[in-house]
């Protein structure tokens, strides 16, 4: 698993996405954070496709049979923190 995660780390750097964490056999990334980028859906999609290819190549070279399941969630929202609210004349 470690070898595959190292391949994924290289892909994350290549696609400009940030690795959040690994939990067991899960590898989590995010694009567009902490700095917004308008192409974040494409960077995640391209990373996912390359992850599939990397696992297929790894399996072929190492005579293994790892399978990969990918999921993606896309959001576009803005968050903000607001301090004290001033009261004006309504």
């Amino acid at each position: 698993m470690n070898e595959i995660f190292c391949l994924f780390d290289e892909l994350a750097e290549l696609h400009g996405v940030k690795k959040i964490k690994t939990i067991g056999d899960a590898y989590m990334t995010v694009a567009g954070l902490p700095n917004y980028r308008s192409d974040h859906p494409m960077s995640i999609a391209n990373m996912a496709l390359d992850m599939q290819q990397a696992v297929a190549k790894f399996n072929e070279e190492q005579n293994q049979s790892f399978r990969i399941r990918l999921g993606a969630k896309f959001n576009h929202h803005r968050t903000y923190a607001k301090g004290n609210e001033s009261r004006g004349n309504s």
Side-chain angles (χ1 to χ4, degrees):
M1 243 13 240
N2 189 49
E3 289 179 58
I4 292 174
F5 283 166
C6 287
L7 293 172
F8 292 172
D9 288 344
E10 291 174 14
L11 291 174
E13 188 172 330
L14 175 71
H15 290 286
V17 304
K18 181 175 174 69
K19 174 179 146 183
I20 300 297
K21 60 184 166 182
T22 57
I23 303 173
D25 63 353
Y27 186 92
M28 299 175 70
T29 62
V30 65
L33 291 175
N35 300 317
Y36 176 76
R37 53 186 286 184
S38 61
D39 68 339
H40 68 273
M42 285 303 295
S43 62
I44 288 291
N46 288 329
M47 167 110 178
L49 293 171
D50 284 351
M51 290 169 80
Q52 287 180 319
Q53 290 177 349
V55 169
K57 183 178 178 184
F58 177 86
N59 284 339
E60 185 177 313
E61 291 174 353
Q62 302 296 325
N63 196 28
Q64 296 291 324
S65 60
F66 285 103
R67 295 183 306 168
I68 185 170
R69 182 178 59 165
L70 301 166
K73 182 174 183 178
F74 301 99
N75 285 324
H76 180 74
H77 56 83
R78 297 174 191 227
T79 60
Y80 61 92
K82 194 173 185 181
N84 292 336
E85 198 171 283
S86 63
R87 295 183 187 194
N89 295 333
S90 305

